[in-house]
Amino acid sequence: MEPQASGLLNLPDEILQDIFQFVSDESIFAITRVCRRFYVLSNLPIAWRDRCKRFHFWESRHKHAELLQNDSLLTMDWKRLFVRRYESDGRVTDLLNTIIASNTNKIDGFEKIAMEGYDAKDCLKRHLLVADDAEDVLARRYYASEALSFLHRKRAVEIWKQVGAGKDVSLEEALGAYDLFVTRGANRDVEHTTRSLDELAKQFRAENPYDPTLSARETASLLISFMRNNGFTGASFDNYHILRNSFLGICVDSNRATLPLTTVAVFCALGRRINLDVKPCGFAFHVIAIVTDPNSPSKEEGDDTKSNSSDDGRNPRDKSHISYWDPFKSNQEITRRELEQSLHAHGMIAHDTFLTPSTTRELVVRVARNILESVRLAGQPQPTAPCAVADMDRPPFYPERHAALYAALSASVICGPPPSSRLLEHMCTLMQRDFYMDVGFFETDMARLITDDDAMMLHNICKAVRAEDAMKKRPVSRKDLTHASQVQYHVGTVFRHKRYDYEAVITGWTANCETEENWIRFMDVDKLKRGRHQPFYNVFVSDGSSRYVAEDSIIMLEPSEAGVLSGFLAMGKYFKRFDIASGKFVSNLKEEYPDD
């Protein structure tokens, strides 16, 4: 009597193929080894292609979007592509685990993750969205976010390097690179902004079907009206210098009442998608757009159409074929004469430089200046609010001040004139404090753009950053204290400040006040009950700031839940998770504070 076949083997091939779709990536390779039939059914090209479709982010070298668009099954080894991505995910996970587990050699880990490029983003996104009950949820989310941010900044730098080299880079890509410095999640990148602009263009065409009888002027007016009806109305006077106004992606997705430059950039991007020849123009103290239409006469009256080319070689073209527009203000065309009168009113000569298309490089630098001005006017950094990881890619978006400043300085160095020593020092300070994994950018790209004297300073700074990253932190042990109870509170303790009533968590401590004398005097430390001769604690506050607090000022709390503090990604720099039983955060700094 022949043995009866398994019930699974009795199923039709089509049913088995459907079942195999739900097998995890980790187990699918075992399925292929069960029997010859399973091997054949699980190795069909369509099955591997569908698994590849589950990845949302791809390095451009794969040309994945083109393959999916052509729906190619025969010309692509989908299994090989999937295996590459699967192995890449494994490498990224191992590297991230190493970064989380050790406080040394993190730069090397980040740089190796970056070598995977955008292939790493799906894996990092999964770690960023890890379940709340994960053993190291806070640390995993923080370092996954840091790795994503590092990937994005590297992409932005590569874009700006192409712009600086005079390569053909679209305006939306060059300006969208700024968003890569301030986004914390995985989804909001240059490609996302491109898709958002694609959708806006489709919406415009749905509302305004193609009409061959319309002139370029009429189409431009229609497009600006469409933009204004969809929120691109120009920022009010009170909101003009708000930091987020300078970020193209943020403006497209949420904050559409924005700056003239950003509004013109959107106008140019949409115009290109509907075959309207429109270019940005860096007018004095403003940015406008130039629309070219060889089939339409000009509105100019008595205009001299024989003007010479501009000094930098950019031909203003035949003025009878161009029109000027200011989508920031209205959908009405502006005459050249009105623009010249505006220049004269500002005491400037009506030179063609102000009335011809600007280069992408010029506008990248102009955005950098706008950001620097917004940062200057904003003054001191404001308290930040916690943000759930699931909400990182949802509006409203508020760029972090230090990240925006770093973006502006980076773009200025790459696309602007040679950087001054002062600018370089400012960038190095930001890098050392907040973006230490970017040291490779300073060692390679930055070093080519500065003087020999500055290069030596930069070399020493980069060497020091790598040395500090590789050096094991000196353990701060309670056993070394004169009295075991000398430092009363531990890393991870949640407390309330006696005087200022804020809630905070301890991230480190010193047996006595160890800071500058000027700070001690300014804060009246010696007027405290025990003065400077008492333990002081490094703490992370519920407004997102870090402070140094005397033990006399602490009222210990034992919360039953993590509360608002766990909503800050930066908490993962110090802690693994919140422990409900003890009412404390579990330290991720055991190498530095082994007894805590």
Side-chain angles (χ1 to χ4, degrees):
M1 182 176 179
E2 295 183 3
Q4 187 175 3
S6 166
L8 191 62
L9 292 175
N10 284 332
L11 293 174
D13 289 352
E14 294 79 4
I15 300 298
L16 285 174
Q17 290 177 47
D18 287 342
I19 292 173
F20 292 162
Q21 290 180 14
F22 297 95
V23 174
S24 68
D25 291 343
E26 294 77 9
S27 301
I28 190 62
F29 298 106
I31 291 292
T32 65
R33 296 191 292 269
V34 171
C35 63
R36 182 178 296 275
R37 185 180 175 210
F38 277 21
Y39 177 84
V40 172
L41 292 177
S42 61
N43 269 298
L44 294 173
I46 192 172
W48 295 112
R49 185 200 64 183
D50 289 344
R51 286 188 180 272
C52 286
K53 282 184 176 180
R54 298 176 188 175
F55 296 105
H56 297 287
F57 306 102
W58 292 84
E59 262 297 287
S60 58
R61 67 175 181 272
H62 297 304
K63 298 183 179 179
H64 181 255
E66 297 177 19
L67 291 170
L68 289 180
Q69 189 174 7
N70 296 332
D71 205 27
S72 172
L73 288 176
L74 300 178
T75 60
M76 180 64 196
D77 188 344
W78 288 101
K79 181 179 180 179
R80 183 181 180 187
L81 183 60
F82 171 78
V83 170
R84 285 182 178 177
R85 284 301 305 266
Y86 179 77
E87 291 175 344
S88 175
D89 276 18
R91 289 192 295 270
V92 170
T93 296
D94 290 344
L95 289 166
L96 186 64
N97 289 340
T98 301
I99 290 172
I100 294 170
S102 175
N103 284 328
T104 59
N105 297 313
K106 292 185 185 295
I107 293 176
D108 182 64
F110 283 119
E111 289 178 337
K112 287 179 177 177
I113 288 176
M115 291 175 65
E116 304 289 337
Y118 268 33
D119 287 352
K121 286 185 63 172
D122 284 289
C123 180
L124 293 172
K125 182 179 179 180
R126 288 196 299 273
H127 288 288
L128 179 65
L129 300 176
V130 67
D132 291 339
D133 58 357
E135 176 71 15
D136 54 3
V137 54
L138 297 178
R140 188 161 298 277
R141 286 175 176 173
Y142 171 72
Y143 285 111
S145 175
E146 288 292 287
L148 281 166
S149 297
F150 181 49
L151 274 177
H152 285 153
R153 291 196 300 274
K154 283 185 69 69
R155 173 72 190 283
V157 167
E158 290 303 315
I159 291 172
W160 288 335
K161 283 166 62 178
Q162 293 182 46
V163 172
K167 300 290 181 63
D168 184 17
V169 179
S170 70
L171 183 61
E172 67 195 66
E173 184 177 13
L175 300 190
Y178 278 101
D179 290 79
L180 294 175
F181 271 73
V182 298
T183 182
R184 299 294 296 184
N187 295 336
R188 295 191 59 254
D189 50 21
V190 173
E191 289 74 16
H192 175 81
T193 301
T194 297
R195 289 191 295 271
S196 297
L197 290 166
D198 288 342
E199 289 302 316
L200 278 171
K202 289 179 182 178
Q203 183 183 341
F204 172 78
R205 275 303 181 207
E207 296 177 12
N208 302 274
Y210 174 68
D211 183 353
T213 65
L214 289 179
S215 67
R217 282 183 167 83
E218 292 168 321
T219 303
S221 181
L222 274 176
L223 180 56
I224 295 173
S225 295
F226 166 81
M227 289 175 56
R228 297 182 69 80
N229 289 337
N230 282 275
F232 296 97
T233 54
S236 66
F237 178 80
D238 292 338
N239 295 326
Y240 192 85
H241 290 289
I242 290 178
L243 189 56
R244 64 178 183 266
N245 288 345
S246 293
F247 293 88
L248 179 65
I250 292 178
C251 294
V252 170
D253 287 336
S254 62
N255 179 52
R256 293 181 171 179
T258 181
L259 299 179
L261 195 162
T262 316
T263 306
V264 168
V266 174
F267 181 47
C268 291
L270 296 180
R272 180 172 60 83
R273 285 164 170 78
I274 63 171
N275 297 318
L276 184 67
D277 187 354
V278 53
K279 295 180 175 61
C281 173
F283 192 66
F285 312 111
H286 202 60
V287 178
I288 57 176
I290 301 174
V291 173
T292 303
D293 182 4
N295 301 315
S296 177
S298 171
K299 278 180 61 175
E300 306 301 332
E301 299 174 0
D303 193 18
D304 178 11
T305 61
K306 297 180 180 180
S307 175
N308 294 325
S309 298
S310 57
D311 293 338
D312 62 0
R314 292 176 299 185
N315 194 328
R317 312 290 293 175
D318 182 351
K319 300 186 188 108
S320 64
H321 298 158
I322 65 174
S323 55
Y324 297 94
W325 303 82
D326 185 2
F328 178 81
K329 294 181 178 178
S330 76
N331 67 336
Q332 300 297 312
E333 180 185 349
I334 315 168
T335 67
R336 182 182 177 93
R337 179 173 297 170
E338 290 172 330
L339 294 172
E340 291 174 345
Q341 289 173 347
S342 176
L343 289 171
H344 289 309
H346 287 92
M348 307 178 75
I349 299 174
H351 195 275
D352 279 333
T353 301
F354 297 115
L355 299 170
T356 52
S358 297
T359 65
T360 299
R361 182 173 185 169
E362 290 169 343
L363 293 178
V364 167
V365 174
R366 195 156 179 166
V367 170
R369 290 201 297 265
N370 288 343
I371 291 174
L372 293 175
E373 180 66 6
S374 294
V375 170
R376 185 187 69 82
L377 293 174
Q380 293 298 316
Q382 298 299 310
T384 57
C387 177
V389 291
D391 295 331
M392 285 181 176
D393 294 319
R394 300 172 184 167
F397 305 112
Y398 298 98
E400 295 178 345
R401 180 180 183 271
H402 71 290
L405 176 60
Y406 188 53
L409 296 177
S410 299
S412 298
V413 167
I414 298 170
C415 297
S420 65
S421 297
R422 183 179 179 184
L423 187 152
L424 181 62
E425 290 174 3
H426 199 167
M427 280 198 69
C428 287
T429 300
L430 282 170
M431 182 268 287
Q432 290 175 282
R433 188 185 67 195
D434 300 312
F435 308 100
Y436 62 92
M437 65 284 291
D438 288 11
V439 64
F441 162 62
F442 285 73
E443 291 170 329
T444 54
D445 301 302
M446 184 83 78
R448 300 191 189 103
L449 303 170
I450 59 180
T451 65
D452 291 340
D453 291 340
D454 287 337
M456 180 57 68
M457 177 192 71
L458 182 63
H459 170 77
N460 291 334
I461 290 174
C462 292
K463 184 178 179 180
V465 170
R466 288 197 180 273
E468 183 179 358
D469 177 63
M471 185 184 301
K472 286 189 175 182
K473 302 293 187 293
R474 181 178 177 273
V476 182
S477 176
R478 292 175 180 269
K479 297 175 184 178
D480 298 332
L481 300 175
T482 306
H483 302 288
S485 60
Q486 183 176 341
V487 178
Q488 182 177 354
Y489 303 112
H490 291 72
V491 171
T493 299
V494 181
F495 70 92
R496 187 171 298 282
H497 196 281
K498 283 183 179 178
R499 180 177 179 182
Y500 299 113
D501 201 41
Y502 59 71
E503 189 173 314
V505 59
I506 294 171
T507 60
W509 52 263
T510 57
N512 295 287
C513 185
E514 297 180 5
T515 188
E516 296 177 354
E517 187 67 28
N518 288 341
W519 185 88
I520 293 175
R521 293 176 180 175
F522 179 77
M523 299 300 295
D524 290 330
V525 170
D526 291 326
K527 292 183 179 180
L528 295 172
K529 184 177 181 181
R530 290 188 287 169
R532 68 180 71 189
H533 302 296
Q534 63 173 309
F536 272 70
Y537 298 86
N538 298 306
V539 306
F540 186 88
V541 186
S542 56
D543 64 1
S545 64
S546 296
R547 305 186 190 184
Y548 195 45
V549 177
E551 190 171 88
D552 284 349
S553 300
I554 290 177
I555 302 175
M556 183 176 172
L557 302 175
E558 293 185 359
S560 59
E561 58 183 25
V564 69
L565 285 165
S566 64
F568 290 93
L569 267 177
M571 286 286 287
K573 186 177 181 179
Y574 313 103
F575 306 108
K576 293 181 178 179
R577 68 184 185 282
F578 179 77
D579 182 61
I580 297 177
S582 64
K584 295 180 179 179
F585 285 92
V586 178
S587 175
N588 196 34
L589 304 172
K590 286 296 183 181
E591 294 179 10
E592 192 171 355
Y593 297 95
D595 303 324
D596 284 43

